């Protein structure tokens, strides 16, 4: 059997090696390492794929989130509502900019931000909501966008785990994750659904003025060279990474289908086990399985993880600690806030290997080891 890994980047690379190697060599030959032509072309191609007007590359997904909040002109003391169950980057940048992160609990089925909890967290100081399309499926955007509209709030979508997922509105229209709010942000970290070979990220928007602002912010606040109209950052997508992403983007849908197919096989093989819940796909979104995350009931998660560790089967806990319980975020949490769902999930979640190269033999091996644990 091929060696089990959480993510198998090497096998994926082997299948597209000649194109990738040529793309990298092309950039080296051009010596246009920063702001080369491949970056503009990739931005246009991704914009076309997403059905959004502007895509602006940047250094990584965390920077994308930071620049999005900077572009909206938020001021210290402004409140930004986000989920209590996500990767730290989402909330880190809010605090870093002197804004006030307001954490809210999540929906138990989808792991995504609870719209009712968002509603209750809105105050006169609220300026933006940052939903995360966690593990590869969209947060429930329609009611969230309605709330944002009603209260005049910006929506910044964290699409780092959801690139290519689609949301279905009640009128039947379908939109790609990251293109529904004011600004969408993504990451091309190697293990994401569209990963490059280092760090990379991007922002998306349909707003011409915001796009110009974002482009300038990622390049030291410059529009005209050496004229700085605002305080910016240095956060650009490297040309080599853009060239790699241009090779991989045409494969994104096929990669996401491979993940869905692996998830279906996991679901079938793990069906009907008492005390084990396979991932739920919401009616309003496709699921592109950035992670395949089980819920292990009855306090058995750590024992199952130990069992898989013993069998040399990789598995991970995303995420072990809800954000409100992280030391760094103590100042932003008040005593009367309740996070019962995310607290419970942190004790139940277990993510299995998930990538584009999983084969039937590997899935069979992993799922029979899990079945053995429950007999
Ligand atoms: C990966 C990730 C980020 C950060 O992306 P980087 O490119 O690693 O900076 C932000 N939010 C979520 C939900 C992520 O999974």
């Amino acid at each position: 059997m091929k060696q089990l890994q959480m993510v198998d980047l090497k096998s994926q690379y082997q299948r597209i090696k000649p194109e990738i190697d040529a793309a990298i060599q092309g950039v080296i030959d051009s010596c246009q390492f920063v702001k080369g032509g491949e970056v503009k072309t990739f931005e246009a191609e991704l914009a076309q794929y997403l059905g959004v007007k502007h895509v602006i590359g940047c250094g990584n997904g965390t920077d994308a989130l930071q620049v999005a909040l900077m572009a909206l002109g938020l001021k210290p003391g402004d409140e930004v509502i986000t989920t209590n169950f996500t990767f730290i980057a989402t909330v880190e940048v809010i605090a870093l900019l002197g804004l006030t992160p307001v954490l809210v609990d999540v929906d138990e089925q989808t792991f995504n931000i609870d719209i009712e909890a968002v509603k209750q967290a809105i105050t006169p100081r609220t300026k933006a909501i940052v939903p995360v399309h966690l593990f590869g499926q969209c947060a429930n955007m329609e009611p969230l966008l309605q709330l944002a509209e009603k209260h005049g709030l910006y929506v910044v979508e964290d699409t780092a785990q959801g690139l290519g997922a689609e949301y279905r509105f009640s009128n039947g229209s379908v939109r790609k994750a990251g293109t529904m709010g004011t600004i969408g942000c993504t990451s091309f970290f190697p293990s994401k659904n569209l990963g490059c070979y280092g760090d990379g990220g991007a922002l998306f928007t349909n707003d011409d003025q915001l796009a110009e602002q974002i482009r300038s912010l990622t390049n030291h606040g410059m529009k005209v060279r050496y004229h700085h109209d605002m305080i910016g950052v240095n956060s650009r997508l490297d040309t080599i990474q853009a060239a790699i992403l241009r090779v991989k983007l045409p494969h994104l849908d096929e990669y996401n289908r491979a993940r869905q197919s692996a998830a279906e096989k996991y679901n079938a093989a793990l069906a009907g086990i008492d005390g084990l819940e396979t991932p739920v796909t919401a009616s309003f979104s496709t699921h592109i399985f950035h992670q395949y995350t089980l819920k292990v009931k009855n306090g058995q998660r750590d024992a199952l993880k130990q069992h898989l560790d013993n069998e040399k089967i990789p598995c991970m806990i995303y995420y072990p600690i809800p954000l409100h319980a992280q030391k760094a975020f103590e100042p932003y949490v008040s005593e009367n806030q309740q996070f019962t769902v995310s607290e419970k999930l942190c004790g139940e979640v277990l993510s299995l290997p998930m990538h584009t190269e999983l084969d039937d033999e590997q899935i069979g091996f992993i799922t029979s080891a899990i079945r053995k644990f429950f007999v």
Side-chain angles (χ1 to χ4, degrees), residues 2 43 90 113 121 141 153 199 206 217 247 279 295 313 373:
K2 235 177 17 175
E43 287 172 345
T90 318
I113 196 162
M141 291 301 286
L153 310 176
D199 276 310
N206 285 308
L217 280 169
V247 173
K295 280 185 266 185
I313 294 172
F373 174 82

Side-chain angles (χ1 to χ4, degrees), residues 60-62 65 86-87 89-90 132 158 160-161 187 189 192 200 319:
N60 55 67
T62 309
L65 290 160
T86 176
F87 179 57
T90 318
V132 179
D158 183 342
Q161 301 188 6
S187 163
F189 187 81
K192 307 287 187 191
Y319 297 92

Side-chain angles (χ1 to χ4, degrees), residues 35-36 38-48 50-69 71-72 157 159 163 178-179 182-188 194 199-223 230 233-238 241-242 245:
K35 290 170 90 51
E38 298 281 339
V39 178
K40 272 236 152 356
T41 312
F42 170 68
E43 287 172 345
E45 287 167 352
L46 182 57
Q48 165 88 23
L50 291 170
V52 72
K53 210 160 164 195
H54 305 278
V55 168
I56 302 107
C58 69
N60 55 67
T62 309
D63 283 0
L65 290 160
Q66 177 178 330
V67 168
L69 296 170
L72 295 173
E157 297 175 66
T159 315
L163 200 67
T179 68
T182 323
I183 302 174
C185 299
T186 205
S187 163
F188 304 120
L194 179 62
D199 276 310
L203 299 98
F204 334 128
T205 184
N206 285 308
D207 184 313
D208 297 345
Q209 261 181 321
L210 268 181
E212 201 185 317
Q213 188 85 348
I214 289 166
R215 205 169 274 291
S216 166
L217 280 169
T218 55
N219 194 29
H220 301 293
M222 283 197 292
K223 282 179 185 147
M230 58 196 138
V233 295
N234 173 11
S235 184
R236 296 172 298 225
L237 182 62
D238 284 350
Q241 301 306 341
L245 289 164

Side-chain angles (χ1 to χ4, degrees), residues 87-335:
F87 179 57
I88 198 76
T90 318
V91 59
E92 179 178 63
V93 295
I94 300 171
L96 205 57
L97 291 172
L99 311 172
T100 305
V102 176
L103 299 169
V104 300
D105 214 351
V106 295
D107 167 63
E108 188 164 355
Q109 296 306 312
T110 62
F111 309 108
N112 276 323
I113 196 162
D114 179 345
I115 309 303
E116 203 47 49
V118 172
K119 197 185 279 180
Q120 271 154 40
I122 293 173
T123 75
R125 290 177 304 281
T126 307
K127 290 288 154 45
I129 310 170
V130 183
V132 179
H133 306 304
L134 200 73
F135 299 157
Q137 75 177 324
C138 295
N140 196 359
M141 291 301 286
E142 185 161 5
L144 190 121
L145 291 169
Q146 283 164 357
L147 260 187
E149 166 118 53
K150 183 172 161 202
H151 295 272
L153 310 176
Y154 298 117
V155 174
V156 175
E157 297 175 66
D158 183 342
T159 315
Q161 301 188 6
L163 200 67
E166 288 180 337
Y167 184 87
R168 184 179 299 276
F169 287 84
S170 53
N171 68 5
S173 69
V174 169
R175 298 276 292 278
K176 286 246 163 48
T179 68
M180 295 170 272
T182 323
I183 302 174
C185 299
T186 205
S187 163
F188 304 120
F189 187 81
S191 62
K192 307 287 187 191
N193 291 41
L194 179 62
C196 60
Y197 289 4
D199 276 310
L203 299 98
F204 334 128
T205 184
N206 285 308
D207 184 313
D208 297 345
Q209 261 181 321
L210 268 181
E212 201 185 317
Q213 188 85 348
I214 289 166
R215 205 169 274 291
S216 166
L217 280 169
T218 55
N219 194 29
H220 301 293
M222 283 197 292
K223 282 179 185 147
V224 178
R225 187 174 277 193
Y226 303 129
H227 292 250
H228 305 274
D229 303 331
M230 58 196 138
I231 308 282
V233 295
N234 173 11
S235 184
R236 296 172 298 225
L237 182 62
D238 284 350
T239 314
I240 285 181
Q241 301 306 341
I244 290 164
L245 289 164
R246 284 197 64 206
V247 173
K248 291 187 72 178
L249 178 60
H251 296 281
L252 178 58
D253 285 342
E254 153 207 331
Y255 287 160
N256 285 342
R257 277 195 299 275
R259 289 169 178 273
Q260 287 166 340
S261 157
E264 279 164 24
K265 289 172 189 166
Y266 272 139
N267 285 346
L270 296 173
I273 298 178
D274 217 24
L276 190 72
E277 283 180 22
T278 55
V280 174
T281 300
S283 57
F284 49 73
S285 179
T286 59
H287 199 324
I288 55 163
F289 293 97
H290 175 63
Q291 297 298 341
Y292 181 88
T293 303
L294 299 168
K295 280 185 266 185
V296 189
K297 302 290 180 177
N298 311 322
Q300 294 207 88
R301 194 268 313 275
D302 292 345
L304 175 58
K305 179 164 196 319
Q306 187 59 56
H307 170 74
L308 295 179
D309 289 348
N310 295 344
E311 300 281 320
K312 305 258 182 321
I313 294 172
C315 60
M316 296 287 283
I317 297 170
Y318 300 119
Y319 297 92
I321 305 168
L323 295 178
H324 77 276
Q326 298 282 359
K327 190 162 186 295
F329 292 97
E330 252 169 39
Y332 303 104
V333 182
S334 68
E335 295 216 336

